[in-house]
Every structure is written in structure tokens, then in C-alpha cells.
Amino acid sequence: MPNRPSSLREWVVVLYGLVGLGLLPWALWLSQSLKPHHRDANWDLAWSGFATGLAVLFMLTAFAAYRRSPWVGALAAATGALLVTDAWFDILLESHADDRRNAIMLAVLAELPAAAICFWIAQRTERFLAKALGQALHLTAAGERAAERDLVGVLEVAPDGEAAGEPRDADAPA
């Protein structure tokens, strides 16, 4: 049986990967169930394409976290932006009161909190990368070459909840 994720990075890998995979059937269902009854004949295609893009961003964010890539922050920010956009259009484009109420509930309980988490991950990543870059520049000034693999550990959190601290080699044991 796999172990429970122990760091923020591991949670992002698992949860974002699952959400991304879960959104793909949702996008397929949207493409089949939404009828082009709105003013645009491609209404169903627009929403299923948007949901697919959101799914891909969730999975790319999970993959970037898994690989300890410095891209995780940018991908998390893009995912958050699409979640806010999704909530906005879900609410504004619903014409029936019950559908609008459901869209507001989905936005408040799921999409906007998920976007806030994405933005928090992006901000945390940028802070870590700025610190790591400062250290890398210091190493370079001393005559050593900073390796790209030194810019890892972005989402590592120690058991006490504090950031793991210093960047470490990606190939070193966890």
C-alpha cells in the first residue's frame, strides 16, 4: 500500500494529478451533454475545450511538482487563473436562478478556494526560487557554477510545517 503523502509537493502531485484526470471525463461529458442552446453554435465545444485545458493544467502542475521543476509556480498560477475564469463565466452565463445559485455555490466552495491554493503555491514557489537564485548567484560570484538541479525543494515542507529550507540536489535521497 502506498504511503500517505508527507510533503506539500507530494500532496500537489497526488491531488492535482487526480483532479486533472477527473476533469477529463467531465470535459467529455460536457461535450456530449451541453446543447448549443446559447447564442453560439459552439457552446458545447467551448466549455468542453476549456475544461480540457483546465485538466491539462492541473496535470502539468502535478507533473512539474513531481519533477521538482521551477515551472510549478507558473503552472499553478495559470491553473488558478483558469479556475477564477471558470467561476466567473459559470456565474455570469447562467440564465436560470437555480443554475446560477448552483454556479455560485460551486465557485464559493470549490473553484475559488482551489484557485487560492494555486496562487499560494505560485507565491511560495517564487519566494523559494528568489532565495535559491540569490544563493546560486552567491556561489557563482565565489567561482562555483550553480546547477539547475540546485533549484529544487520548492514544495517541500518539514513535519513541523516550516519550509524545508535550503535548496538541495534533485538526485539526493529525500
Side-chain angles (χ1 to χ4, degrees), residues 108-127:
V108 169
L109 296 177
E111 292 165 330
L112 296 178
I117 292 169
C118 288
F119 296 140
W120 177 74
I121 290 169
Q123 187 269 343
R124 182 179 174 90
T125 302
E126 289 302 312
R127 234 183 31 221

Side-chain angles (χ1 to χ4, degrees), residues 21 25-26 29 49 58 70 72 79 84 131 147 166 173:
L21 288 172
W26 173 253
W29 179 81
F58 266 107
V72 72
T79 303
V84 170
K131 181 179 176 184
E166 302 299 319

